[in-house]
Amino acid sequence: AGVPEPDADFRMEGDDPFGTRMPMKSVLPATLLCALATPPDTAHAAFHCVRNHSELQQALSAAAASAGDDEIRLREGAYTTFDGSFVYASQNSGWLTISGGWYPQDGNDCAQMRMDASRTVLDGAGQHQVLRVVHSPPQGSTPFAQFTVLNLSVRNGYGDPETFQRGGGLDMNSFSDGPAMFRLENVIVANNDGYFGGGANLYLKNGAARIANALFDDNHASTTANAHVAITVNATEPGIEHAVVIAHATFVRGRCAGATARGCGVRAGLGGGVHMDIVDSLFHDNEIADLDLEGAAVIGLGDGTASAEWSLVGAVRGNLPLAAANMLQGNPRFVDAADGDFRLADDSPLINRGLATVPNGPVGVLDLDALPRTRFGAPDPGPYENQTWDFLFADGFEQAAGS
């Protein structure tokens, strides 16, 4: 059932703590502005407040049938794929946002959002892909569409390799001739397994993708490769300089078989004119390789490019070079990596080293714990900001921030 727009000040665009309300006008070139006119007005979108797995699938089906914009708000709690994967499959080009962290107030079941991705969990129970999004408008359709997953966790998904199910956690596909955008913001994707892209599979025939303020941990591709994410962007619109952005994200403990010499971290397949930026992000303890970078010239679509800045990246494979600048080195010194705590410890050499400018707009003022993103002039890389380190050391001497 739809619910009225809540009275929540942080949802106003100018006061958005995670930057998720950034209008695409600021990202897309002038050639698309006429088509966009204005970004979707959430006051006129259809809102769906859901409380259990049945209501979630009902809301996804209703949103898929709608030609307008939809936001599905999940009450805090667990949503398990008892009846199979959660599926959104549409030929329409309305915008879709799936957001977690909602709780009731004054009779409104989804009145306020608590910024804590761990409190809303989509769970595949080790049996199903968790969430599938398929955008397939009629051939030749050109309206822009955006699909956002925000402020929730995706866990325990399973993509069956026998049926080539990519993306055990998230499987998002746009086959549109017109541009589409996938946004994963303030998310935890963990303990998933799939046929390539165990954590997530993102495929765009034409468009852009953004992963920000995110933790990918302990994902697997047991029979293939790319345990965390497999990203494919065949083309993007003229003038898009940053089609794929990974910002303030951590990818750890990726495990895979290593099919066709690929590694167990992130794979990016980039067509001609598609550029990927990795900024302020951490890759650690991923088997074989952290990155696989592959062009699409072999299928006639040309080769894209990739760069990384102020990030910790180990082995890189594939036929595309990584243009690297100001790269981080050494042991990141997480608080407790063995127990899944990937916040930076007080003695981490990476504190205050998230110094890159995030393309297409900042990640917001809060980290994945909903705590201040920047404490001492510069943010930390990864999704978490250390909240305990201070200028003063035990000997009483001060050290300048970032030195």
Side-chain angles (χ1 to χ4, degrees):
V3 297
E5 169 72 2
D7 182 16
D9 290 342
F10 73 82
R11 291 179 54 77
M12 299 300 292
E13 182 178 307
D15 196 29
D16 176 13
F18 286 104
T20 57
R21 297 290 169 184
M22 180 183 65
M24 286 304 300
K25 274 188 176 181
S26 63
V27 178
L28 296 175
T31 53
L32 285 181
L33 293 185
C34 291
L36 290 176
T38 57
D41 183 353
T42 56
H44 297 93
F47 291 93
H48 310 265
C49 178
V50 303
R51 307 158 188 82
N52 56 55
H53 72 282
S54 296
E55 291 183 355
L56 174 54
Q57 184 54 60
Q58 292 168 9
L60 288 166
S61 298
S66 167
D69 303 321
D70 291 83
E71 182 171 349
I72 298 174
R73 298 172 177 174
L74 280 67
R75 285 272 300 270
E76 293 179 334
Y79 297 77
T80 305
T81 58
F82 293 115
D83 302 321
S85 305
F86 299 117
V87 178
Y88 170 98
S90 180
Q91 293 186 329
N92 299 314
S93 291
W95 291 29
L96 174 68
T97 298
I98 302 171
S99 58
W102 294 92
Y103 62 92
Q105 187 176 36
D106 298 330
N108 183 341
D109 278 340
C110 292
Q112 299 286 339
M113 178 191 278
R114 191 186 338 260
M115 288 299 186
D116 185 343
S118 69
R119 297 176 69 96
T120 306
V121 180
L122 304 185
D123 196 321
Q127 300 179 19
H128 305 286
Q129 288 176 291
V130 180
L131 175 64
R132 295 177 55 216
V133 173
V134 181
H135 175 232
S136 55
Q139 186 173 3
S141 297
T142 59
F144 173 75
Q146 178 170 283
F147 303 87
T148 300
V149 178
L150 168 68
N151 196 43
L152 52 78
S153 297
V154 179
R155 293 183 176 272
N156 304 316
Y158 176 69
D160 187 355
E162 294 296 322
T163 55
F164 312 109
Q165 290 182 335
R166 295 173 178 262
L170 295 165
D171 183 22
M172 304 177 70
N173 299 271
S174 174
F175 303 100
S176 175
D177 292 324
M181 184 168 188
F182 293 153
R183 298 176 66 119
L184 308 181
E185 305 258 358
N186 201 56
V187 295
I188 299 170
V189 181
N191 318 118
N192 302 284
D193 197 346
Y195 175 78
F196 289 104
N201 176 62
L202 308 179
Y203 171 85
L204 292 131
K205 182 179 180 181
N206 178 10
R210 176 179 167 102
I211 299 174
N213 221 49
L215 172 65
F216 283 72
D217 173 35
D218 192 31
N219 293 299
H220 296 247
S222 296
T223 64
T224 53
N226 316 131
H228 290 308
V229 190
I231 303 170
T232 303
V233 182
N234 286 342
T236 194
E237 293 295 292
I240 298 291
E241 297 180 359
H242 310 282
V244 180
V245 175
I246 295 176
H248 285 280
T250 292
F251 301 88
V252 285
R253 300 194 294 188
R255 302 291 183 260
C256 70
T260 61
R262 294 184 174 109
C264 305
V266 172
R267 182 260 183 185
L270 309 173
V274 177
H275 181 75
M276 179 174 76
D277 297 272
I278 300 172
V279 298
D280 299 338
S281 294
L282 306 176
F283 292 74
H284 182 72
D285 189 21
N286 301 302
E287 291 181 344
I288 305 175
D290 288 327
L291 283 176
D292 292 289
L293 302 175
E294 301 174 10
V298 68
I299 57 173
L301 298 178
D303 288 341
T305 55
S307 64
E309 188 175 10
W310 293 104
S311 294
L312 179 67
V313 180
V316 180
R317 292 190 173 189
N319 61 7
L320 295 181
L322 179 68
N326 302 310
M327 298 300 282
L328 306 176
Q329 305 291 332
N331 186 339
R333 298 199 59 80
F334 295 119
V335 170
D336 190 349
D339 199 38
D341 188 343
F342 296 100
R343 297 163 183 84
L344 297 179
D346 288 355
D347 60 350
S348 170
L350 306 187
I351 287 177
N352 288 350
R353 290 296 194 267
L355 298 174
T357 299
V358 178
N360 300 343
V363 294
V365 298
L366 300 179
D367 73 355
L368 193 53
D369 283 330
L371 296 171
R373 163 65 63 191
T374 303
R375 294 181 64 230
F376 292 114
D380 299 339
Y384 299 106
E385 177 77 5
N386 177 286
Q387 302 293 325
T388 55
W389 178 85
D390 208 338
F391 288 114
L392 290 175
F393 289 86
D395 59 10
F397 291 98
E398 285 195 14
Q399 175 174 297
S403 65

